[in-house]
């Protein structure tokens, strides 16, 4: 795999790299990010390898991330047209302003205008709803986004961190109204966070949405910095923000380290390769604070896991999902297929069916 092995994002005509460059770390404003120069170096390295998908948000380093990206592409209009820039709305940059953020029409329009100003571009390729507001009518949000697409300021729409039922409702309304569809989801997904497998990822697959996982290294827990055998300080500046791995996390981390040694790659590369190879995943968000970290993460492009190695990681990280996930996975095929093999999966015969031979 390579960054220029492009993939189609959901039910759309948009093609992106299998790894999308995440830029939440662009800017040192919060005390732990990358300097503008280091950010530019990371961006250049990504583009030089054939990468074409860049993800940011209006609130990343209070708008500095967008500005760094805008400064990089300023005067490079031809290059700008060849990349896919996605940014997000929802986050409020103005204290005590009730309309400064969120998915209402007034908020969406002003957030986009400010993002376009910082990015120094006339349009964004993907405009992502960054979070969920249960009060604002989804019709208001969808119509405002459709208007922005008709105005040429937005090309595609995506949802991030929205419950499956709300995303499905929005996708259905957009389809029936003839408004711009939701082509992709962003969600947290890693060996240490797999609960999206319950409803979000199956919903995306059923409705033709691509999936872009964020935090595939779980805030650095899967980067190789941590193991149950390691003592002493860890090379991270975000401990106060994200905490440290739990005892249950270390069971998964140690298994990842063992597979990484077997593969001859870093734990981070193996963790990223595992995520990108999972069902329903289109393009994984990869970021870094330093250029050496970024280049190390890109080694995941060269990692191929065997079925046995994937099985080890799948089993050790298996999540506990909400009802009815387990019921649908085990009971449903038992009572539906009665022991038959369907689509390559063998079912079991229900004990209730075997209990008596009479059929009425």
């Amino acid at each position: 795999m390579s960054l220029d092995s492009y993939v189609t994002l959901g039910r759309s005509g948009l093609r992106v790299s299998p790894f999308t460059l995440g830029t939440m770390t662009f800017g040192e404003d919060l005390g732990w990010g990358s300097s503008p120069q280091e950010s530019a170096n990371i961006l250049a390295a990504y583009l030089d390898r054939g990468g074409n998908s860049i993800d940011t948000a209006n609130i990343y380093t209070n708008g500095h991330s967008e500005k760094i990206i805008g400064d990089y592409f300023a005067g490079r209009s031809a290059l700008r047209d060849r990349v896919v820039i996605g940014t997000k709305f929802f986050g409020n940059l103005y204290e005590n302003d009730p309309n400064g953020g969120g998915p209402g029409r007034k908020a969406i329009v002003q957030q986009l205008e400010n993002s376009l100003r910082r990015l120094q571009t006339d349009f964004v390729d993907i405009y992502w709803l960054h979070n969920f507001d249960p009060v604002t009518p989804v019709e208001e949000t969808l119509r405002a986004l459709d208007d922005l697409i008709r105005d040429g300021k937005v090309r595609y729409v995506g949802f991030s961190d929205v419950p499956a039922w709300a995303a499905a409702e929005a996708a259905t309304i957009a389809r029936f109204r003839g408004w711009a569809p939701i082509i992709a989801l962003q969600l947290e997904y890693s060996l240490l966070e797999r609960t999206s497998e319950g409803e979000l990822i199956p919903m995306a697959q059923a409705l033709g949405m691509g999936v872009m996982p964020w935090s595939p290294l779980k805030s650095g827990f899967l980067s190789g910095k941590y193991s149950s055998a390691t003592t002493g300080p860890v090379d991270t500046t975000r401990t106060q923000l994200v905490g440290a791995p739990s005892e249950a996390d270390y069971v998964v981390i140690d298994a990842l380290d063992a597979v990484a040694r077997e593969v001859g790659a870093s734990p981070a590369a193996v963790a990223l390769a595992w995520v990108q190879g999972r069902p329903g995943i289109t393009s994984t968000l990869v970021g870094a604070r330093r250029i050496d970290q970024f280049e190390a993460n890109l080694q995941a492009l060269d990692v191929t896991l065997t079925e046995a190695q994937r099985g080890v990681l799948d089993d050790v990280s298996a999540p506990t999902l909400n009802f009815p996930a387990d019921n649908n996975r085990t009971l449903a095929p038992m009572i539906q297929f009665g022991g038959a093999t369907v689509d390559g999966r063998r079912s079991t015969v229900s004990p209730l069916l075997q209990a008596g031979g009479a059929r009425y």
Side-chain angles (χ1 to χ4, degrees):
M1 186 170 60
S2 61
L3 287 179
D4 57 3
S5 299
Y6 304 113
V7 289
T8 301
L9 186 61
R11 191 170 177 267
S12 77
L14 187 64
R15 278 80 194 194
V16 296
S17 294
F19 284 166
T20 289
L21 178 61
T23 65
M24 190 175 72
T25 57
F26 280 18
E28 299 171 301
D29 304 69
L30 305 182
W32 47 264
S34 311
S35 69
Q37 184 57 57
E38 187 76 347
S39 300
N41 293 340
I42 293 171
L43 184 52
Y46 176 76
L47 297 173
D48 287 345
R49 293 279 294 268
N52 80 328
S53 179
I54 302 164
D55 180 79
T56 186
N58 67 328
I59 59 170
Y60 288 171
T61 49
N62 295 331
H64 197 186
S65 173
E66 288 184 327
K67 185 178 185 304
I68 289 171
I69 295 168
D71 289 344
Y72 184 89
F73 286 104
R76 295 183 170 102
S77 59
L79 181 58
R80 169 33 191 131
D81 288 340
R82 293 177 60 83
V83 299
V84 176
I85 296 179
T87 192
K88 307 181 191 72
F89 67 94
F90 191 90
N92 197 334
L93 290 173
Y94 306 99
E95 294 183 19
N96 299 315
D97 180 357
N99 296 304
R105 178 179 287 270
K106 176 178 172 62
I108 291 173
V109 172
Q110 69 89 1
Q111 287 174 93
L112 178 62
E113 292 300 329
N114 282 318
S115 287
L116 294 176
R117 172 179 55 81
R118 288 186 289 264
L119 289 166
Q120 301 177 56
T121 185
D122 295 327
F123 67 95
V124 292
D125 297 285
I126 311 177
Y127 204 34
W128 299 89
L129 170 63
H130 205 166
N131 219 293
F132 178 56
D133 174 7
V135 176
T136 301
V138 68
E139 293 87 349
E140 179 178 343
T141 302
L142 293 171
R143 180 56 196 270
L145 292 169
D146 188 71
D147 286 345
L148 292 173
I149 285 182
R150 293 172 188 270
D151 289 343
K153 296 181 178 181
V154 172
R155 298 292 188 257
Y156 296 93
V157 172
F159 273 23
S160 177
D161 305 347
V162 173
W165 69 265
E169 177 191 32
T172 303
I173 291 172
R175 181 171 297 180
F176 276 105
R177 295 286 181 87
W179 294 337
I182 302 162
I183 68 164
L185 296 181
Q186 284 195 21
L187 47 83
E188 183 177 4
Y189 191 56
S190 71
L191 280 164
L192 292 176
E193 177 47 76
R194 292 178 56 185
T195 55
S196 293
E197 294 175 12
E199 296 192 13
L200 281 163
I201 293 176
M203 182 271 297
Q205 291 175 293
L207 296 181
M209 300 177 190
V211 176
M212 279 191 182
W214 55 266
S215 197
L217 299 181
K218 189 60 176 178
S219 301
F221 292 179
L222 300 168
S223 65
K225 299 175 182 177
Y226 298 89
S227 80
S228 61
T230 300
T231 59
V234 173
D235 178 20
T236 180
T237 57
R238 292 197 290 165
T239 300
Q240 290 185 336
L241 181 65
V242 301
S246 66
E247 290 186 16
D249 291 340
Y250 277 118
V251 174
V252 179
I253 291 169
D254 289 347
L256 172 65
D257 290 346
V259 171
R261 288 192 296 271
E262 187 177 313
V263 173
S266 69
V270 172
L272 291 170
W274 179 88
V275 167
Q276 186 56 26
R278 293 292 295 169
I281 303 305
T282 306
S283 179
T284 301
L285 286 159
V286 177
R289 183 166 47 91
R290 302 192 309 263
I291 186 67
D292 61 302
Q293 294 173 331
F294 175 71
E295 291 173 345
N297 288 343
L298 289 189
Q299 293 174 9
L301 295 166
D302 301 320
V303 172
T304 301
L305 300 175
T306 66
E307 288 301 315
Q309 290 163 342
R310 282 195 168 275
V312 168
L313 296 176
D314 291 350
D315 292 344
V316 76
S317 64
T320 300
L321 301 176
N322 291 340
F323 178 85
D326 193 54
N327 177 291
N328 295 165
R329 181 179 61 84
T330 58
L331 181 61
M334 178 191 297
I335 63 177
Q336 180 179 6
F337 298 125
T341 298
V342 180
D343 294 331
R345 297 179 62 187
R346 183 177 179 83
S347 64
T348 57
V349 180
S350 167
L352 300 177
L353 193 63
Q354 293 178 319
R359 301 291 182 268
Y360 303 93

